[in-house]
Amino acid sequence: MFKVDIILKGRVQGVGFRYYAKQIADEMKVSGKVWNNYDGSVEVVGYLESKKDIDEFVEKIKIGPQMSSVKESTVTITPSDPPMDEVFEIAN
């Protein structure tokens, strides 16, 4: 199991990005959460089983909803225990 942490910068707040991320996570059965950061970025944390799943999740997240524009993204992948909850939630 791996934890992927994605920080997205650009026009990512106020455009439905957190709801978009939840939709992608629910479709892919990914647990984790998404939230807005104070610096205007959006952060997504997901727990996935394989490198292939991570790559697919990251690419879909980077697309963003129609009104968004991702200018920069940082992806950090670390080994992890499975999450306590099997859900993907929108925080703040």
Coordinates of all heavy atoms in Angstrom, one line a residue:
M1 N 0.9 -1.2 0.0 CA 0.0 0.0 0.0 C 0.9 1.2 0.0 O 1.9 1.3 0.6 CB -0.9 0.0 1.2 CG -1.8 1.2 1.4 SD -3.2 1.4 0.3 CE -4.1 -0.2 0.4
F2 N 0.5 2.2 -0.7 CA 1.2 3.5 -0.8 C 0.3 4.7 -0.5 O -0.9 4.6 -0.8 CB 1.8 3.7 -2.3 CG 2.8 2.6 -2.6 CD1 2.4 1.5 -3.3 CD2 4.1 2.8 -2.3 CE1 3.3 0.5 -3.7 CE2 5.0 1.8 -2.6 CZ 4.6 0.7 -3.3
K3 N 0.9 5.7 0.0 CA 0.2 7.0 0.2 C 0.7 7.9 -0.8 O 2.0 8.1 -1.0 CB 0.5 7.5 1.6 CG -0.1 8.9 1.9 CD 0.3 9.4 3.3 CE 0.1 10.8 3.4 NZ 0.7 11.3 4.7
V4 N -0.2 8.6 -1.6 CA 0.3 9.6 -2.6 C -0.3 10.9 -2.1 O -1.5 11.0 -1.7 CB -0.2 9.2 -4.0 CG1 -1.7 9.1 -4.1 CG2 0.3 10.2 -5.0
D5 N 0.6 11.9 -2.0 CA 0.2 13.3 -1.6 C 0.5 14.2 -2.8 O 1.6 14.3 -3.3 CB 1.1 13.7 -0.4 CG 0.7 15.0 0.2 OD1 -0.1 15.8 -0.4 OD2 1.0 15.2 1.4
I6 N -0.6 14.8 -3.3 CA -0.6 15.7 -4.5 C -0.9 17.1 -4.1 O -2.0 17.3 -3.5 CB -1.6 15.2 -5.6 CG1 -1.4 13.7 -5.8 CG2 -1.4 16.0 -6.9 CD1 -2.6 13.1 -6.6
I7 N 0.0 18.0 -4.4 CA -0.3 19.4 -4.1 C -0.4 20.1 -5.5 O 0.5 20.0 -6.3 CB 0.8 20.1 -3.3 CG1 0.9 19.4 -1.9 CG2 0.5 21.6 -3.1 CD1 2.0 19.9 -1.1
L8 N -1.5 20.8 -5.7 CA -1.8 21.4 -7.0 C -1.9 22.9 -6.9 O -2.6 23.4 -5.9 CB -3.1 20.8 -7.5 CG -3.1 19.3 -7.7 CD1 -4.4 18.7 -7.1 CD2 -2.9 18.9 -9.1
K9 N -1.3 23.6 -7.8 CA -1.3 25.0 -7.7 C -1.8 25.6 -9.1 O -1.6 24.9 -10.1 CB 0.1 25.6 -7.4 CG 0.6 25.2 -6.1 CD 2.0 25.8 -5.8 CE 2.4 25.4 -4.3 NZ 3.7 25.9 -4.0
G10 N -2.3 26.7 -9.0 CA -2.9 27.4 -10.2 C -4.3 27.8 -9.9 O -4.6 28.2 -8.7
R11 N -5.2 27.8 -10.8 CA -6.6 28.1 -10.5 C -7.3 26.8 -10.1 O -7.9 26.1 -10.9 CB -7.4 28.7 -11.7 CG -8.7 29.1 -11.3 CD -9.5 30.0 -12.3 NE -9.1 29.9 -13.7 CZ -9.8 29.9 -14.7 NH1 -11.1 30.2 -14.5 NH2 -9.4 29.9 -15.9
V12 N -7.2 26.5 -8.8 CA -7.7 25.2 -8.2 C -8.7 25.4 -7.1 O -9.2 24.4 -6.6 CB -6.5 24.3 -7.8 CG1 -5.7 23.9 -9.0 CG2 -5.6 25.0 -6.8
Q13 N -8.8 26.6 -6.6 CA -9.8 26.9 -5.5 C -11.0 27.7 -6.1 O -10.8 28.5 -7.0 CB -9.2 27.6 -4.3 CG -8.3 26.7 -3.5 CD -7.8 27.4 -2.2 OE1 -8.4 28.3 -1.8 NE2 -6.8 26.8 -1.6
G14 N -12.2 27.4 -5.7 CA -13.4 28.1 -6.1 C -13.9 27.6 -7.5 O -14.7 28.2 -8.1
V15 N -13.4 26.4 -7.9 CA -13.8 25.9 -9.2 C -14.3 24.4 -9.1 O -14.5 23.8 -10.1 CB -12.6 25.9 -10.2 CG1 -12.2 27.3 -10.6 CG2 -11.4 25.1 -9.7
G16 N -14.6 24.0 -7.9 CA -15.1 22.6 -7.7 C -14.1 21.5 -7.7 O -14.4 20.4 -7.9
F17 N -12.8 21.9 -7.4 CA -11.7 20.9 -7.5 C -11.9 19.8 -6.4 O -11.6 18.6 -6.7 CB -10.3 21.6 -7.3 CG -9.3 20.9 -8.1 CD1 -8.8 21.4 -9.3 CD2 -8.7 19.7 -7.7 CE1 -7.8 20.7 -10.0 CE2 -7.8 19.0 -8.4 CZ -7.3 19.5 -9.5
R18 N -12.3 20.2 -5.2 CA -12.4 19.1 -4.2 C -13.5 18.1 -4.5 O -13.3 16.9 -4.3 CB -12.7 19.8 -2.8 CG -11.5 20.6 -2.3 CD -11.8 21.3 -1.0 NE -12.9 22.3 -1.2 CZ -13.6 22.8 -0.3 NH1 -13.5 22.4 1.0 NH2 -14.6 23.7 -0.6
Y19 N -14.6 18.6 -5.1 CA -15.7 17.7 -5.5 C -15.2 16.8 -6.7 O -15.6 15.6 -6.8 CB -16.9 18.5 -5.8 CG -17.4 19.3 -4.6 CD1 -17.0 20.6 -4.4 CD2 -18.1 18.6 -3.6 CE1 -17.3 21.3 -3.3 CE2 -18.4 19.3 -2.4 CZ -18.0 20.7 -2.3 OH -18.4 21.3 -1.1
Y20 N -14.5 17.4 -7.6 CA -13.9 16.7 -8.7 C -13.0 15.5 -8.2 O -13.1 14.4 -8.6 CB -13.1 17.6 -9.6 CG -12.3 16.9 -10.7 CD1 -12.9 16.5 -11.9 CD2 -11.0 16.7 -10.5 CE1 -12.2 15.9 -12.9 CE2 -10.2 16.0 -11.5 CZ -10.8 15.6 -12.7 OH -10.1 15.0 -13.6
A21 N -12.1 15.9 -7.3 CA -11.2 14.9 -6.7 C -11.9 13.8 -6.0 O -11.6 12.6 -6.2 CB -10.2 15.5 -5.7
K22 N -13.0 14.1 -5.3 CA -13.8 13.1 -4.7 C -14.5 12.1 -5.7 O -14.5 10.9 -5.5 CB -14.9 13.7 -3.7 CG -15.7 12.6 -3.1 CD -16.5 13.1 -1.9 CE -17.4 12.0 -1.3 NZ -16.9 10.7 -1.2
Q23 N -15.0 12.7 -6.8 CA -15.6 11.9 -7.8 C -14.6 10.9 -8.4 O -14.9 9.7 -8.6 CB -16.1 12.8 -8.9 CG -16.8 12.1 -10.0 CD -17.3 13.0 -11.2 OE1 -17.2 14.2 -11.1 NE2 -17.8 12.4 -12.2
I24 N -13.4 11.4 -8.7 CA -12.3 10.5 -9.3 C -12.0 9.4 -8.2 O -11.9 8.3 -8.6 CB -11.0 11.3 -9.6 CG1 -11.3 12.3 -10.8 CG2 -9.9 10.4 -10.0 CD1 -11.8 11.7 -12.1
A25 N -11.8 9.8 -7.0 CA -11.4 8.9 -5.9 C -12.5 7.8 -5.8 O -12.2 6.6 -5.6 CB -11.2 9.6 -4.6
D26 N -13.8 8.2 -5.8 CA -14.9 7.3 -5.6 C -14.9 6.3 -6.8 O -15.1 5.1 -6.6 CB -16.2 8.0 -5.5 CG -16.3 8.7 -4.1 OD1 -15.5 8.5 -3.2 OD2 -17.3 9.5 -4.0
E27 N -14.7 6.8 -8.0 CA -14.7 6.0 -9.2 C -13.6 4.9 -9.2 O -13.8 3.8 -9.6 CB -14.6 6.8 -10.5 CG -15.8 7.6 -10.9 CD -15.5 8.6 -12.0 OE1 -14.4 8.6 -12.6 OE2 -16.4 9.4 -12.3
M28 N -12.5 5.3 -8.6 CA -11.3 4.4 -8.6 C -11.2 3.7 -7.3 O -10.3 2.9 -7.1 CB -10.0 5.2 -8.8 CG -9.9 5.8 -10.2 SD -8.3 6.6 -10.4 CE -7.2 5.2 -10.3
K29 N -12.2 3.9 -6.4 CA -12.2 3.2 -5.0 C -10.9 3.5 -4.2 O -10.3 2.7 -3.7 CB -12.5 1.8 -5.2 CG -13.8 1.4 -5.8 CD -14.0 0.0 -5.9 CE -15.4 -0.5 -6.5 NZ -16.1 0.3 -7.4
V30 N -10.6 4.8 -4.2 CA -9.4 5.3 -3.5 C -9.9 5.9 -2.2 O -10.8 6.7 -2.2 CB -8.6 6.3 -4.3 CG1 -7.5 7.0 -3.5 CG2 -8.1 5.7 -5.6
S31 N -9.3 5.6 -1.1 CA -9.6 6.3 0.2 C -8.6 7.4 0.4 O -7.5 7.4 -0.1 CB -9.6 5.3 1.3 OG -8.4 4.6 1.4
G32 N -9.0 8.4 1.2 CA -8.1 9.5 1.5 C -8.9 10.8 1.7 O -10.0 10.7 2.2
K33 N -8.3 11.9 1.4 CA -9.1 13.2 1.5 C -8.5 14.3 0.7 O -7.4 14.1 0.2 CB -9.1 13.6 3.0 CG -7.8 13.9 3.7 CD -8.0 14.3 5.1 CE -6.7 14.4 5.9 NZ -6.9 14.8 7.3
V34 N -9.2 15.3 0.5 CA -8.8 16.5 -0.2 C -9.2 17.8 0.5 O -10.2 17.8 1.2 CB -9.5 16.5 -1.7 CG1 -11.0 16.5 -1.6 CG2 -9.0 17.7 -2.5
W35 N -8.3 18.8 0.5 CA -8.6 20.0 1.2 C -8.0 21.2 0.5 O -7.0 21.0 -0.3 CB -8.2 20.0 2.6 CG -6.8 19.8 2.9 CD1 -5.9 20.8 3.0 CD2 -6.0 18.6 3.0 NE1 -4.6 20.3 3.2 CE2 -4.7 18.9 3.2 CE3 -6.4 17.2 2.9 CZ2 -3.7 17.9 3.3 CZ3 -5.4 16.3 3.0 CH2 -4.1 16.6 3.2
N36 N -8.5 22.4 0.8 CA -7.8 23.7 0.3 C -6.8 24.1 1.3 O -7.0 24.0 2.5 CB -8.9 24.8 0.2 CG -9.8 24.6 -0.9 OD1 -9.5 24.0 -1.9 ND2 -11.0 25.2 -0.8
N37 N -5.6 24.5 0.8 CA -4.6 25.0 1.7 C -4.7 26.6 1.7 O -5.2 27.2 0.8 CB -3.2 24.6 1.2 CG -2.9 23.2 1.4 OD1 -3.3 22.6 2.4 ND2 -2.2 22.5 0.5
Y38 N -4.2 27.2 2.7 CA -4.2 28.6 2.9 C -3.5 29.4 1.8 O -3.8 30.5 1.5 CB -3.7 29.1 4.3 CG -4.6 28.6 5.4 CD1 -4.3 27.7 6.3 CD2 -5.9 29.2 5.5 CE1 -5.1 27.3 7.3 CE2 -6.8 28.8 6.5 CZ -6.4 27.8 7.4 OH -7.2 27.4 8.4
D39 N -2.5 28.7 1.2 CA -1.7 29.4 0.1 C -2.4 29.4 -1.2 O -1.8 29.8 -2.2 CB -0.3 28.8 0.0 CG -0.3 27.4 -0.4 OD1 -1.4 26.8 -0.7 OD2 0.8 26.8 -0.6
G40 N -3.6 28.9 -1.3 CA -4.4 28.9 -2.6 C -4.2 27.5 -3.3 O -4.8 27.4 -4.4
S41 N -3.4 26.6 -2.8 CA -3.3 25.3 -3.4 C -4.4 24.3 -2.9 O -5.1 24.6 -2.0 CB -1.9 24.7 -3.2 OG -1.7 24.5 -1.8
V42 N -4.5 23.2 -3.6 CA -5.4 22.1 -3.2 C -4.5 20.9 -2.9 O -3.5 20.6 -3.7 CB -6.4 21.8 -4.2 CG1 -7.1 20.5 -3.9 CG2 -7.4 22.9 -4.3
E43 N -4.7 20.2 -1.8 CA -3.9 19.0 -1.5 C -4.8 17.8 -1.5 O -5.9 17.8 -1.0 CB -3.3 19.2 -0.2 CG -2.2 18.1 0.1 CD -1.2 18.6 1.2 OE1 -1.2 19.7 1.6 OE2 -0.4 17.7 1.6
V44 N -4.4 16.7 -2.2 CA -5.1 15.5 -2.3 C -4.2 14.4 -1.7 O -3.0 14.2 -2.1 CB -5.4 15.1 -3.7 CG1 -6.2 13.8 -3.8 CG2 -6.2 16.3 -4.4
V45 N -4.7 13.6 -0.8 CA -4.0 12.4 -0.3 C -4.9 11.2 -0.6 O -6.1 11.1 -0.3 CB -3.8 12.5 1.3 CG1 -3.3 11.2 1.8 CG2 -2.9 13.7 1.6
G46 N -4.2 10.2 -1.2 CA -4.9 8.9 -1.5 C -4.1 7.8 -1.2 O -2.8 7.8 -1.1
Y47 N -4.7 6.6 -0.9 CA -4.1 5.4 -0.6 C -4.4 4.4 -1.7 O -5.5 4.1 -1.9 CB -4.6 4.9 0.8 CG -4.2 5.8 1.9 CD1 -5.0 6.9 2.2 CD2 -3.0 5.6 2.6 CE1 -4.6 7.7 3.3 CE2 -2.6 6.5 3.6 CZ -3.4 7.5 3.9 OH -3.1 8.4 4.9
L48 N -3.3 3.9 -2.4 CA -3.5 3.0 -3.5 C -2.5 1.8 -3.4 O -1.5 1.9 -2.7 CB -3.2 3.8 -4.8 CG -4.1 5.0 -5.1 CD1 -3.4 6.3 -4.8 CD2 -4.7 4.9 -6.4
E49 N -2.9 0.8 -4.1 CA -2.1 -0.5 -4.0 C -0.9 -0.6 -5.0 O 0.1 -1.2 -4.6 CB -3.1 -1.7 -4.4 CG -4.2 -1.8 -3.4 CD -3.8 -2.7 -2.2 OE1 -2.9 -3.5 -2.3 OE2 -4.5 -2.6 -1.2
S50 N -1.0 0.0 -6.2 CA 0.0 -0.3 -7.2 C 0.5 1.0 -7.8 O -0.2 2.0 -7.8 CB -0.5 -1.2 -8.2 OG -1.4 -0.6 -9.1
K51 N 1.7 0.9 -8.4 CA 2.2 2.1 -9.2 C 1.3 2.5 -10.3 O 1.1 3.6 -10.6 CB 3.6 1.7 -9.7 CG 4.3 2.7 -10.5 CD 4.9 3.9 -9.7 CE 5.8 4.7 -10.5 NZ 5.3 6.1 -10.6
K52 N 0.7 1.5 -11.0 CA -0.2 1.7 -12.1 C -1.4 2.5 -11.6 O -1.8 3.5 -12.3 CB -0.6 0.4 -12.7 CG -1.6 0.5 -13.9 CD -2.0 -0.9 -14.4 CE -3.1 -0.8 -15.4 NZ -4.4 -0.6 -14.8
D53 N -2.0 2.1 -10.5 CA -3.1 2.8 -10.0 C -2.7 4.3 -9.5 O -3.5 5.2 -9.8 CB -3.7 2.1 -8.7 CG -4.4 0.8 -9.1 OD1 -4.7 0.6 -10.3 OD2 -4.5 -0.1 -8.2
I54 N -1.5 4.4 -9.0 CA -1.1 5.8 -8.6 C -0.9 6.7 -9.8 O -1.4 7.8 -9.8 CB 0.3 5.7 -7.8 CG1 0.1 5.0 -6.5 CG2 0.9 7.1 -7.7 CD1 1.4 4.6 -5.8
D55 N -0.3 6.1 -10.8 CA -0.1 6.9 -12.1 C -1.4 7.4 -12.6 O -1.6 8.5 -13.0 CB 0.7 6.1 -13.1 CG 2.1 5.9 -12.7 OD1 2.6 6.6 -11.8 OD2 2.8 5.1 -13.3
E56 N -2.4 6.5 -12.7 CA -3.7 6.8 -13.2 C -4.4 7.8 -12.4 O -5.0 8.8 -12.9 CB -4.6 5.5 -13.3 CG -6.0 5.7 -13.9 CD -6.8 4.5 -13.9 OE1 -6.3 3.4 -13.6 OE2 -8.0 4.6 -14.2
F57 N -4.4 7.6 -11.1 CA -5.0 8.6 -10.1 C -4.4 10.0 -10.3 O -5.1 11.0 -10.4 CB -4.9 8.1 -8.7 CG -5.6 8.9 -7.7 CD1 -6.9 9.0 -7.6 CD2 -4.8 9.5 -6.7 CE1 -7.6 9.8 -6.7 CE2 -5.4 10.3 -5.7 CZ -6.8 10.4 -5.7
V58 N -3.1 10.1 -10.3 CA -2.4 11.4 -10.4 C -2.8 12.0 -11.7 O -3.1 13.2 -11.7 CB -0.9 11.2 -10.2 CG1 -0.2 12.5 -10.6 CG2 -0.5 10.8 -8.8
E59 N -2.7 11.3 -12.8 CA -3.0 11.9 -14.1 C -4.5 12.4 -14.2 O -4.7 13.5 -14.7 CB -2.8 10.9 -15.2 CG -1.3 10.7 -15.5 CD -0.5 12.0 -15.6 OE1 -0.9 12.8 -16.4 OE2 0.5 12.1 -14.9
K60 N -5.4 11.7 -13.6 CA -6.8 12.1 -13.6 C -7.0 13.3 -12.7 O -7.7 14.3 -13.1 CB -7.7 11.0 -13.2 CG -7.9 9.9 -14.2 CD -8.9 8.9 -13.8 CE -9.1 7.8 -14.9 NZ -10.1 6.8 -14.5
I61 N -6.4 13.4 -11.6 CA -6.5 14.5 -10.7 C -5.9 15.7 -11.3 O -6.5 16.8 -11.2 CB -5.8 14.2 -9.3 CG1 -6.5 13.1 -8.5 CG2 -5.6 15.5 -8.5 CD1 -7.9 13.5 -8.0
K62 N -4.8 15.6 -12.0 CA -4.1 16.8 -12.6 C -5.0 17.4 -13.7 O -4.9 18.6 -14.0 CB -2.8 16.4 -13.2 CG -1.7 16.2 -12.2 CD -0.4 15.9 -13.0 CE 0.8 15.6 -12.2 NZ 1.9 15.3 -13.1
I63 N -5.9 16.7 -14.3 CA -6.8 17.3 -15.3 C -7.7 18.3 -14.7 O -7.8 19.4 -15.2 CB -7.6 16.1 -16.0 CG1 -6.7 15.2 -16.8 CG2 -8.7 16.8 -16.9 CD1 -7.4 14.0 -17.3
G64 N -8.3 18.0 -13.5 CA -9.1 18.9 -12.8 C -10.4 19.2 -13.5 O -10.7 18.7 -14.6
P65 N -11.3 19.9 -12.8 CA -12.6 20.2 -13.4 C -12.5 21.2 -14.5 O -11.4 21.9 -14.6 CB -13.4 20.7 -12.2 CG -12.4 21.2 -11.3 CD -11.2 20.4 -11.4
Q66 N -13.5 21.4 -15.2 CA -13.5 22.3 -16.4 C -13.0 23.7 -16.2 O -12.2 24.2 -17.0 CB -14.9 22.4 -17.0 CG -15.0 23.1 -18.3 CD -16.4 23.0 -18.9 OE1 -17.3 22.5 -18.4 NE2 -16.5 23.5 -20.1
M67 N -13.3 24.3 -15.1 CA -12.9 25.7 -14.9 C -11.6 25.9 -14.2 O -11.1 27.0 -14.0 CB -14.0 26.4 -14.0 CG -15.4 26.6 -14.7 SD -15.3 27.4 -16.2 CE -15.0 29.1 -15.6
S68 N -10.9 24.7 -13.9 CA -9.6 24.8 -13.2 C -8.5 24.9 -14.2 O -8.7 24.7 -15.4 CB -9.4 23.6 -12.4 OG -9.2 22.4 -13.2
S69 N -7.3 25.3 -13.7 CA -6.1 25.3 -14.5 C -5.0 25.0 -13.6 O -4.5 25.9 -12.8 CB -6.0 26.7 -15.1 OG -4.8 26.8 -15.8
V70 N -4.5 23.8 -13.7 CA -3.3 23.4 -12.9 C -2.0 23.8 -13.5 O -1.7 23.4 -14.6 CB -3.3 21.8 -12.7 CG1 -2.1 21.4 -11.9 CG2 -4.6 21.4 -12.0
K71 N -1.3 24.7 -12.8 CA -0.1 25.2 -13.4 C 1.2 24.4 -12.8 O 2.2 24.4 -13.5 CB 0.1 26.7 -13.0 CG -1.0 27.6 -13.5 CD -0.9 27.7 -15.0 CE -2.0 28.7 -15.5 NZ -2.2 28.6 -16.9
E72 N 1.0 23.9 -11.7 CA 2.1 23.2 -11.0 C 1.6 22.1 -10.1 O 0.5 22.3 -9.5 CB 2.9 24.2 -10.2 CG 4.1 23.7 -9.5 CD 4.8 24.7 -8.7 OE1 4.7 26.0 -9.0 OE2 5.5 24.4 -7.7
S73 N 2.3 21.0 -10.1 CA 1.9 19.9 -9.1 C 3.1 19.3 -8.5 O 4.1 19.1 -9.2 CB 1.0 18.9 -9.8 OG 1.7 18.2 -10.9
T74 N 3.0 18.9 -7.3 CA 4.0 18.1 -6.6 C 3.4 16.8 -6.1 O 2.4 16.8 -5.5 CB 4.5 18.9 -5.4 OG1 5.0 20.2 -5.8 CG2 5.7 18.2 -4.7
V75 N 4.1 15.7 -6.4 CA 3.6 14.4 -6.1 C 4.6 13.7 -5.2 O 5.8 13.6 -5.6 CB 3.3 13.5 -7.3 CG1 2.8 12.2 -6.9 CG2 2.3 14.2 -8.2
T76 N 4.2 13.3 -4.0 CA 5.1 12.5 -3.1 C 4.4 11.2 -2.8 O 3.3 11.1 -2.4 CB 5.2 13.3 -1.8 OG1 5.7 14.6 -2.1 CG2 6.2 12.6 -0.9
I77 N 5.2 10.1 -3.0 CA 4.7 8.7 -2.8 C 5.5 8.1 -1.7 O 6.7 8.1 -1.8 CB 4.8 7.9 -4.1 CG1 4.0 8.6 -5.2 CG2 4.3 6.5 -3.9 CD1 4.2 8.0 -6.6
T78 N 4.8 7.6 -0.7 CA 5.5 6.9 0.4 C 4.8 5.6 0.7 O 3.6 5.5 0.6 CB 5.5 7.8 1.7 OG1 4.2 8.2 2.0 CG2 6.4 9.0 1.5
P79 N 5.6 4.5 1.1 CA 4.9 3.3 1.6 C 4.0 3.6 2.8 O 4.4 4.5 3.6 CB 6.1 2.4 2.0 CG 7.3 3.0 1.3 CD 7.0 4.5 1.2
S80 N 2.9 2.9 2.9 CA 2.0 3.2 4.0 C 1.2 2.0 4.4 O 1.0 1.1 3.6 CB 1.0 4.3 3.5 OG 0.0 4.5 4.5
D81 N 0.8 2.0 5.6 CA -0.2 1.0 6.1 C -1.5 1.4 5.5 O -1.7 2.6 5.1 CB -0.3 1.0 7.6 CG 0.9 0.5 8.3 OD1 1.6 -0.4 7.7 OD2 1.2 0.9 9.4
P82 N -2.5 0.5 5.3 CA -3.8 0.8 4.8 C -4.4 1.9 5.8 O -4.2 1.9 7.0 CB -4.6 -0.5 4.9 CG -3.5 -1.5 4.9 CD -2.4 -0.9 5.6
P83 N -5.3 2.8 5.2 CA -5.9 3.8 6.0 C -6.9 3.2 7.0 O -7.4 2.1 6.7 CB -6.6 4.7 5.0 CG -6.8 3.8 3.8 CD -5.7 2.9 3.8
M84 N -7.3 3.9 8.0 CA -8.3 3.4 9.0 C -9.6 3.3 8.3 O -10.4 2.4 8.6 CB -8.3 4.3 10.2 CG -7.0 4.3 11.0 SD -6.6 2.7 11.7 CE -7.4 2.8 13.2
D85 N -10.0 4.3 7.5 CA -11.3 4.4 6.9 C -11.2 4.1 5.4 O -10.2 4.5 4.8 CB -11.9 5.8 7.1 CG -12.3 6.1 8.5 OD1 -12.7 5.1 9.2 OD2 -12.1 7.2 8.9
E86 N -12.1 3.5 4.8 CA -12.1 3.2 3.4 C -12.9 4.2 2.6 O -13.5 3.9 1.6 CB -12.8 1.8 3.2 CG -12.0 0.7 3.9 CD -10.9 0.1 3.1 OE1 -10.9 0.2 1.8 OE2 -9.9 -0.3 3.7
V87 N -12.9 5.4 3.0 CA -13.7 6.5 2.4 C -12.7 7.6 1.9 O -11.6 7.7 2.3 CB -14.8 7.1 3.3 CG1 -15.8 6.0 3.7 CG2 -14.1 7.8 4.5
F88 N -13.2 8.4 1.0 CA -12.5 9.6 0.5 C -13.4 10.8 0.9 O -14.6 10.8 0.6 CB -12.4 9.6 -1.0 CG -11.4 10.6 -1.5 CD1 -10.1 10.4 -1.6 CD2 -11.9 11.9 -1.8 CE1 -9.2 11.3 -2.0 CE2 -11.0 12.9 -2.2 CZ -9.6 12.6 -2.3
E89 N -12.8 11.7 1.7 CA -13.6 12.8 2.2 C -13.1 14.1 1.8 O -11.9 14.3 1.5 CB -13.7 12.7 3.8 CG -12.3 12.9 4.4 CD -12.4 12.8 6.0 OE1 -13.5 12.5 6.5 OE2 -11.4 12.9 6.6
I90 N -14.0 15.1 1.8 CA -13.6 16.5 1.5 C -13.5 17.2 2.9 O -14.4 17.2 3.7 CB -14.7 17.2 0.7 CG1 -14.9 16.5 -0.7 CG2 -14.5 18.7 0.5 CD1 -16.0 17.0 -1.5
A91 N -12.3 17.7 3.1 CA -12.0 18.4 4.4 C -12.1 19.9 4.2 O -12.0 20.4 3.1 CB -10.6 18.0 4.9
N92 N -12.4 20.6 5.3 CA -12.6 22.0 5.4 C -13.5 22.4 4.3 O -13.9 23.3 3.8 CB -11.3 22.8 5.4 CG -10.5 23.0 4.1 OD1 -10.5 22.2 3.3 ND2 -9.7 24.1 4.1

